[in-house]
Amino acid sequence: MTDARLRSLFSEDELAQLTAHRVPFGVGAERDAVELATAWAEQVARIDADRALPPFARDAWNAYDLAGALFLRDHLAAALGKLPAALRERLEQAAVQQTDDHYRSFTVVDDGQRMARVAQLDLAGRGWWWFRTPANGPIADDLLRHELLASWHLIFRQAR
């Protein structure tokens, strides 16, 4: 769903509330929940579409791109959390739940350790999206390479 189409579902008063509850996103920038919901949907669609690409496809997203998408989902959660409950529920029903369901449809439960290494952060208290990774495709392959490399480093250190 495009940003304009999603915004068309809300009244002028609701749009004003959405704009009033923007969250920091990047250096000196802010985004509202509609912008973030639209971006999350676009990124989930891209991650899903990339699963059809062959391994090592030059234009395929990798584990770092996935981390970027998950950070974006964190920002969306923060923006949703600032909204009045009724408006938050409307936006979740109009777009966020559908995108989250789409993400769940092609991902598998993951313990989060690989994403914690890739994103270089502690996942304690992070959203469920950090604990799901694509079941197949270039991102899944890249995460496996990260895991194998981490294991190799551990074995190498223990051998010293």
Side-chain angles (χ1 to χ4, degrees), residues 59-113:
D59 58 341
W61 276 12
N62 60 34
Y64 296 101
D65 296 304
L66 176 61
L70 301 178
F71 279 119
L72 184 137
R73 182 61 178 84
D74 286 346
H75 287 286
L76 173 56
L80 290 169
K82 291 178 114 184
L83 296 175
L87 184 56
R88 180 182 62 244
E89 288 171 17
R90 287 207 44 230
L91 181 55
E92 287 175 337
Q93 290 174 355
V96 179
Q97 288 175 356
Q98 181 180 0
T99 302
D100 286 349
D101 289 346
H102 183 193
Y103 185 70
R104 285 185 191 99
S105 76
F106 63 85
T107 59
V108 294
V109 174
D110 186 85
D111 65 10
Q113 291 181 21

Side-chain angles (χ1 to χ4, degrees), residues 109-131:
V109 174
D110 186 85
D111 65 10
Q113 291 181 21
R114 295 180 301 173
M115 287 310 303
R117 278 192 298 272
V118 168
Q120 299 180 1
L121 70 127
D122 180 3
L123 296 184
R126 293 282 176 163
W128 61 265
W129 46 92
W130 283 96
F131 300 93

Side-chain angles (χ1 to χ4, degrees), residues 22-33:
R22 298 170 71 82
V23 295
F25 188 81
V27 178
E30 292 183 332
R31 300 286 184 266
D32 68 30

